[in-house]
Amino acid sequence: MKVRWLFIDLDGTLLDQHKQPGSKGLSAIRTLKQKGLHIGLATGRSVDIVVKLLTSWQLINHIDVIIGMNGAQIYSLKEAACFRRHLLSAEQLNAVISHCLPYNINYYLYDMMKQKAYLRRLDEYSKHIITINQSAYVIQELPIINNYEKLLVLCEPSKSAAIINSLQPFDDLRVMQTLPYCLEIVSIENSKLSAVRQICEHDGCSLREVMALGDEMNDLDLLLDCGIGVAMLNGNEQLKASAECCTEYDNNHDGVGEFLYQYFHIE
């Protein structure tokens, strides 16, 4: 079946360890867009942050849609409109954070409208997230009073598995580990796959006409349900075992670009 939509994850997929895209990956996106494919980015980052990156990469005119916050945001670049989906309520956020406090966690909440992050404290983990997102931040005391798309729970890597297990009773939430020290939490109704499905329904196409590339477990259902699911060579081992195929090169060696050039016979 012909590929009509291409969705690419950012961190660990299109971006290398320095958070920069490979030149061949950028070239492939531009070429495939010119050939008529619809191009989307599906990421855990907020759409406002991604728009700034696209502008700096001179890619802003080659992307049709951005799925942000692991499915909690859908942004159409043509319409310059952002749809926020299934926000976490202040009640949910306070319940989860209070539950996790005995593990001495930190939290990170990003407000797209204010372009500002809210933290419990500044530590090495939150500093890393702030550096990646280049966001301003404020130290915020509990309780949380606003709704947000996503909660980051930051913890010692040795505690992450125990925290994930302890959160199982919160069946209205989706918990994903995206870094050894970082758990990303969204509404159970949000995922990259649910956002892609909504985009396909709007566009009148099937998930079978979608190719998706990713590297972490928050990409798993997307890679499984789309027509062609491609795991990165550097990706999570379970993801690679489940995906239809895997890139020959990792994200530090332009794995996305190399794969797309070969698959679509780009010269």
Side-chain angles (χ1 to χ4, degrees):
M1 183 176 288
K2 182 180 179 181
V3 176
R4 290 177 58 181
W5 273 95
L6 171 64
F7 283 94
I8 308 173
D9 173 51
L10 284 181
D11 297 285
T13 302
L14 184 63
L15 306 186
D16 63 19
Q17 62 183 341
H18 304 296
K19 305 303 178 184
Q20 294 299 315
S23 59
K24 206 164 188 176
L26 294 181
S27 175
I29 290 172
R30 295 186 181 104
T31 299
L32 293 174
K33 176 62 177 174
Q34 292 170 356
K35 289 180 178 292
L37 263 71
H38 298 298
I39 311 293
L41 299 177
T43 176
R45 301 195 191 203
S46 182
V47 296
D48 60 307
I49 294 170
V50 179
V51 167
K52 292 176 182 178
L53 293 174
L54 292 176
T55 302
S56 68
W57 300 333
Q58 298 182 334
L59 204 65
I60 196 74
N61 295 322
H62 297 85
I63 301 297
D64 294 282
V65 66
I66 301 167
I67 295 171
M69 296 288 198
N70 283 317
Q73 300 170 336
I74 299 178
Y75 180 76
S76 167
L77 280 89
K78 180 179 180 180
E79 299 173 4
C82 184
F83 177 49
R84 303 171 74 197
R85 311 167 71 236
H86 311 298
L87 302 187
L88 296 172
S89 68
E91 181 181 5
Q92 287 175 302
L93 292 166
N94 287 311
V96 172
I97 292 170
S98 296
H99 173 84
C100 294
L101 283 178
Y103 295 93
N104 193 32
I105 59 98
N106 194 3
Y107 63 79
Y108 178 103
L109 293 162
Y110 183 76
D111 188 323
M112 180 184 68
M113 306 306 293
K114 296 181 179 179
Q115 298 190 357
K116 187 179 296 182
Y118 295 90
L119 323 171
R120 181 183 178 208
R121 62 176 179 265
L122 189 63
D123 58 17
E124 61 176 312
Y125 301 135
S126 57
K127 285 180 181 178
H128 186 219
I129 300 296
I130 289 167
T131 299
I132 292 173
N133 290 332
Q134 298 181 338
S135 59
Y137 70 90
V138 172
I139 304 300
Q140 176 176 277
E141 297 294 330
L142 294 173
I144 307 300
I145 60 173
N146 296 317
N147 302 336
Y148 292 88
E149 289 95 335
K150 182 176 71 170
L151 166 67
L152 299 188
V153 172
L154 309 179
C155 62
E156 293 294 331
S158 61
K159 297 179 180 179
S160 59
I163 295 174
I164 291 172
N165 186 61
S166 76
L167 288 171
Q168 289 185 10
F170 291 82
D171 56 5
D172 56 345
L173 304 177
R174 187 184 303 277
V175 182
M176 302 159 285
Q177 183 168 6
T178 53
L179 289 168
Y181 62 84
C182 181
L183 308 180
E184 300 195 13
I185 300 175
V186 296
S187 165
I188 191 64
E189 298 180 84
N190 283 335
S191 68
K192 293 182 180 182
L193 174 61
S194 68
V196 169
R197 183 178 284 117
Q198 181 173 324
I199 292 166
C200 286
E201 290 174 354
H202 182 268
D203 195 49
C205 71
S206 164
L207 280 174
R208 302 302 302 169
E209 299 172 282
V210 176
M211 174 185 284
L213 294 93
D215 73 305
E216 269 298 346
M217 293 304 288
N218 59 334
D219 301 308
L220 178 61
D221 57 353
L222 182 60
L223 269 57
L224 288 177
D225 282 27
C226 287
I228 303 170
V230 185
M232 296 298 294
L233 180 63
N234 54 282
N236 178 284
E237 292 301 323
Q238 183 180 340
L239 183 80
K240 290 193 289 184
S242 303
E244 180 177 336
C245 54
C246 184
T247 62
E248 184 177 354
Y249 298 92
D250 64 20
N251 64 317
N252 289 324
H253 296 87
D254 217 345
V256 168
E258 296 289 350
F259 178 86
L260 294 178
Y261 261 73
Q262 181 177 350
Y263 186 90
F264 290 101
H265 306 292
I266 299 174
E267 298 180 356

